[in-house]
Amino acid sequence: MFWRANSAIERLARAPTCRWGARNTAIARSELLNYRNRMDLNVSDELAQSGAIRFRGALVSCMTELEMALASVSQENAGARLHGILPLQEMLATDGAIGTIPGQFLGPLAKPVRAILFNKSAETNWSLAWHQDRTICVKGRRDVEGFGPWTVKQGLLHVAPPVELLAKMMTIRVHLDDVPETNAPLMFAPGSHREGMVPIGEIEKVVARYGVEMCLAEAGDIWLYSTLILHASDAAKDPKSRRVLQVDYAAFDLPGGLEWQGV
């Protein structure tokens, strides 16, 4: 399903961790040993099977830069759609601190196509039912077969594309805060991305069949998952700031004159 690096983590060790080109091979080597110790599969195989994988501490050395890049964004709201922030664009590029991870799996044409900063707190604490992300953000409306319905979210145009396109996309969640079990971690059904588009009435059955895992995280962790994976989130039991930068990536252009809005 995804472009496969022969050794994704070893390639990651050669990638810059910050937009100024600093390197952090110790983290990458530690991750490589961690995955080898856990199972006799490489990282690409694990991602293809479960649909989600955690990169522990992948951005720890660049958290200050990320906080600075997001300084102009209100972090009091539940969610803010991001566009036109140059420092963030540099970090999300496939040679940047964040974008290098999805780039190893989607290939050299990978690009960020939508970014949202979420924050759950005592003031903005909510739950999210099991679902799949079904829309993409585009620059303008064109009537193309298979695309629709259309919506506008925070002034940005969105459309539901054919499932075949969603199946080729990946999403990352960059954690700015710790997310223990009490602070509403994202839940996902491992392997459910292989089901394609799941009818709403069948979602609970599919989740029951595949089971549930939690995206527990510490600040600086990155979770990478298939955009089509079934996921949900409860309200926090002990609500604290739970900021997550969520970014969709694709390695293809859209048909019929449609264009990605990008970040």
Side-chain angles (χ1 to χ4, degrees):
M1 183 171 75
F2 302 122
W3 180 81
R4 297 170 62 84
N6 288 334
S7 180
I9 295 297
E10 289 175 352
R11 289 171 62 88
L12 193 60
R14 299 195 295 272
T17 57
C18 292
R19 59 192 175 98
W20 292 281
R23 299 180 184 273
N24 195 339
T25 58
I27 288 177
R29 288 171 180 164
S30 175
E31 279 294 278
L32 178 60
L33 290 174
N34 178 38
Y35 289 121
R36 283 179 175 168
N37 289 337
R38 278 195 313 171
M39 59 184 67
D40 188 23
L41 293 171
N42 66 34
V43 180
S44 296
D45 287 333
E46 182 178 352
L47 183 61
Q49 289 189 21
S50 71
I53 197 166
R54 179 182 180 180
F55 290 85
R56 296 175 182 268
L59 207 66
V60 166
S61 62
C62 293
M63 291 299 288
T64 299
E65 287 75 16
L66 179 57
E67 294 274 9
M68 291 173 59
L70 296 172
S72 63
V73 180
S74 173
Q75 300 184 20
E76 303 299 321
N77 299 323
R81 295 172 191 272
L82 309 179
H83 182 70
I85 304 174
L86 182 58
L88 183 61
Q89 291 172 346
E90 293 174 349
M91 297 186 79
L92 296 180
T94 53
D95 61 351
I98 298 171
T100 188
I101 291 179
Q104 303 310 312
F105 300 92
L106 288 177
L109 298 180
K111 54 193 171 187
V113 296
R114 178 171 60 179
I116 307 172
L117 180 64
F118 291 110
N119 187 22
K120 282 191 181 182
S121 64
E123 293 72 32
T124 58
N125 190 15
W126 75 94
S127 62
L128 195 61
W130 285 98
H131 69 286
Q132 293 170 296
D133 291 337
R134 301 187 179 207
T135 64
I136 59 174
C137 189
V138 297
K139 288 184 177 180
R141 178 164 181 165
R142 289 178 177 269
D143 292 328
V144 179
E145 185 176 359
F147 285 77
W150 294 80
T151 55
V152 176
K153 303 175 183 180
Q154 295 184 3
L156 297 175
L157 188 62
H158 288 69
V159 65
V163 65
E164 293 80 11
L165 297 189
L166 292 171
K168 296 191 293 183
M169 295 174 61
M170 302 191 77
T171 299
I172 61 171
R173 287 172 66 86
V174 183
H175 290 270
L176 284 79
D177 300 301
D178 293 347
V179 187
E181 187 174 346
T182 56
N183 203 18
L186 190 76
M187 300 178 290
F188 68 95
S192 61
H193 62 297
R194 301 195 298 267
E195 292 285 325
M197 191 64 73
V198 180
I200 292 176
E202 299 294 317
I203 286 178
E204 293 295 336
K205 293 180 182 178
V206 173
V207 171
R209 186 164 72 248
Y210 283 96
V212 175
E213 291 190 20
M214 289 186 177
C215 291
L216 303 178
E218 297 178 356
D221 288 357
I222 292 178
W223 273 92
L224 174 71
Y225 61 90
S226 169
T227 301
L228 265 184
I229 203 165
L230 282 164
H231 57 284
S233 179
D234 291 332
K237 299 174 184 176
D238 181 20
K240 296 183 173 72
S241 179
R242 194 213 69 171
R243 295 169 299 160
V244 177
L245 174 63
Q246 180 173 305
V247 188
D248 295 335
Y249 279 81
F252 56 89
D253 293 326
L254 297 172
L258 289 170
E259 297 181 74
W260 297 106
Q261 176 64 61
V263 299

